[in-house]
Amino acid sequence: TLTARADRIDVAGGGSVVICDYKTGKLPGQKHVEDFYAPQLSLEGAIAEGGGFEGLEKASVSGLVYVHVSGRDDGGEQCAAAQTSPAVLANEAIRRLRDLIARSGR
């Protein structure tokens, strides 16, 4: 069972969702997200698409966003986690997780 607690899920137009992750330190680079070295948001996207978040029906993911927060200046900024489609990242992340589980023999 894959579980996660998203920092924030915004319901966008058409019932799609944008998943946000707040970070106080350095943000993972888009390449790290797209190469699945930083899979957190992609896996949270897969959970949302599968209807796995309490109180949220199955939903397409239209955005995976990092919000860099600090106590300085304007307080923060947000940026897309990757240039690749959130749905593509979610599907690939869950496929890779299933492959990893299969290889572990569990």
Side-chain angles (χ1 to χ4, degrees):
T1 301
L2 175 64
T3 61
R5 186 178 335 177
D7 289 340
R8 187 175 91 204
I9 300 175
D10 293 332
V11 178
S16 68
V17 296
V18 175
I19 300 175
C20 300
D21 184 39
Y22 293 99
K23 296 288 187 197
T24 56
K26 185 177 178 183
L27 301 180
Q30 288 185 335
K31 180 119 175 84
H32 281 99
V33 174
E34 291 170 347
D35 290 343
F36 300 97
Y37 293 112
Q40 176 185 349
L41 277 175
S42 300
L43 289 168
E44 288 177 359
I47 292 170
E49 289 192 345
F53 284 114
E54 186 176 331
L56 183 67
E57 304 260 336
K58 289 183 179 183
S60 63
V61 179
S62 59
L64 300 173
V65 175
Y66 285 115
V67 180
H68 183 250
V69 294
S70 69
R72 300 184 200 129
D73 302 322
D74 63 1
E77 62 180 289
Q78 67 180 34
C79 65
Q83 291 183 349
T84 303
S85 157
V88 169
L89 289 172
N91 289 331
E92 180 64 11
I94 202 70
R95 185 195 68 77
R96 287 175 180 235
L97 178 61
R98 287 181 177 137
D99 288 350
L100 180 64
I101 292 167
R103 284 195 308 269
S104 74
R106 293 187 177 185

